[in-house]
Amino acid sequence: MAADPSVPTAGDPPEEGVSLHLLGGFRLLREAVPVVVPRGLQRVIALIGLRPGATRSQLAGLLWPDASEERALSSLRTALWRLRQDPCCPMTVASDTVRLGPAVRLDVDDLVGTAARVRDGDDPRTAAGALAAGRHDLLPGWYDDWVLLDRERLRQLRLHMLEQVAGHHLAAGRHGQALEAALEAMAAEPLRETPHRLVVRIHLAEGNAFEAVHAFYVYRDLLRRELRLEPSPAMSALLDDTLAPIRQASREAITDRPSPAVRRT
């Protein structure tokens, strides 16, 4: 591995300013300078970052699932030897476990930490990066089983975080911020009902009945078109009070409509 030769790196301390980015694609940076990493070693580094403290056997089994245990462990030893030769990606090996060195900052950890602060009820204004955190999928284009599992785990983590942020803002009467977080969650998963339900609640809290009804029917039409399903009773119930006068007027109009004349033969 080597830093991008287009940027001078002489004199930079190799143990400082190392960051590993796995969201949106693999990037290893040293003092903001991209480090060129062969694809095979990218997989090793990424897995060690996502499975801190995993044993060598666990790492080898995930990285080379089709190889024998002995061959997989041999491949891992070779990869770790190559990584230890390069100070751009410090590793810590303790007994039978391997993890990234403490100097390495991992963007996945930032997402998990932000989600934890939101979950624990911190003031959502202190989590200003919550909307942008995890906006990109984990290692897009990678299809290892361990990547697919963690990609879905982080996607669900972010969706729940955004919904919690929206709920916190709504409870505090910060409707603009609540709507922004709900729409961010909606963009991440358009068919998920929870963010649509939040949008309806936010519009109702603001007194915007038209916007609430419009948001409901947009989601209902999307759900019917894509999955041939109806919104849940819980979502429909949000608009019961708003739509009650309209439904009543429609029933009365049908009742008051004169019956068609009976044709005589």
Side-chain angles (χ1 to χ4, degrees):
M1 295 179 290
D4 190 331
S6 64
V7 183
T9 60
D12 289 343
E15 292 81 12
E16 296 181 2
V18 180
S19 60
L20 175 60
H21 301 262
L22 303 180
L23 300 173
F26 183 98
R27 287 184 303 139
L28 182 65
L29 306 178
R30 173 188 164 198
E31 296 294 338
V33 179
V35 177
V36 179
V37 183
R39 180 59 182 267
L41 292 182
Q42 287 182 20
R43 294 176 67 248
V44 177
I45 295 172
L47 180 58
I48 292 173
L50 292 169
R51 299 285 195 281
T55 65
R56 292 172 183 258
S57 295
Q58 291 169 336
L59 294 173
L62 290 170
L63 289 166
W64 295 279
D66 298 327
S68 67
E69 182 177 6
E70 182 179 356
R71 187 176 181 86
L73 285 170
S74 175
S75 297
L76 179 63
R77 282 194 297 271
T78 300
L80 291 176
W81 179 86
R82 292 175 63 189
L83 289 172
R84 283 197 295 268
Q85 307 311 303
D86 197 313
C88 289
C89 188
M91 298 279 172
T92 299
V93 179
S95 182
D96 192 38
T97 62
V98 184
R99 66 176 67 240
L100 298 178
V104 181
R105 178 174 178 177
L106 182 62
D107 61 349
V108 171
D109 290 342
D110 293 339
L111 169 60
V112 173
T114 300
R117 290 193 298 274
V118 171
R119 183 182 62 246
D120 293 341
D122 284 5
D123 187 336
R125 287 172 294 187
T126 66
L131 270 63
R135 184 170 283 165
H136 302 290
D137 282 341
L138 176 73
L139 297 169
W142 292 31
Y143 300 103
D144 305 75
D145 288 343
W146 53 272
V147 174
L148 297 177
L149 180 65
D150 273 19
R151 183 181 298 157
E152 180 60 18
R153 175 180 66 85
L154 294 173
R155 191 181 75 87
Q156 290 293 332
L157 179 72
R158 180 172 186 259
L159 285 170
H160 283 89
M161 175 186 69
L162 291 170
E163 291 164 0
Q164 288 168 340
V165 169
H168 291 329
H169 282 309
L170 176 59
R174 297 186 291 268
H175 299 134
Q177 295 96 317
L179 187 59
E180 186 179 8
L183 291 175
E184 184 75 26
M186 188 187 300
E189 182 47 81
L191 292 174
R192 184 180 173 91
E193 181 174 300
T194 312
H196 289 272
R197 197 186 305 169
L198 279 164
V199 169
V200 172
R201 289 176 56 201
I202 293 164
H203 287 314
L204 289 174
E206 289 184 299
N208 294 325
F210 168 78
E211 293 284 2
V213 173
H214 176 70
F216 172 84
Y217 282 110
V218 166
Y219 177 62
R220 188 201 64 175
D221 293 344
L222 174 66
L223 205 57
R224 285 178 173 179
R225 183 172 64 252
E226 298 295 331
L227 300 177
R228 297 184 179 180
L229 295 174
E230 293 288 335
S232 72
M235 184 166 185
S236 299
L238 292 175
L239 292 174
D240 281 348
D241 292 340
T242 302
L243 294 177
I246 300 174
R247 292 168 178 162
Q248 181 62 29
S250 299
R251 285 193 294 268
E252 291 174 355
I254 293 173
T255 302
D256 295 342
R257 186 182 304 163
S259 301
V262 177
R263 181 180 300 175
R264 295 183 179 180
T265 58

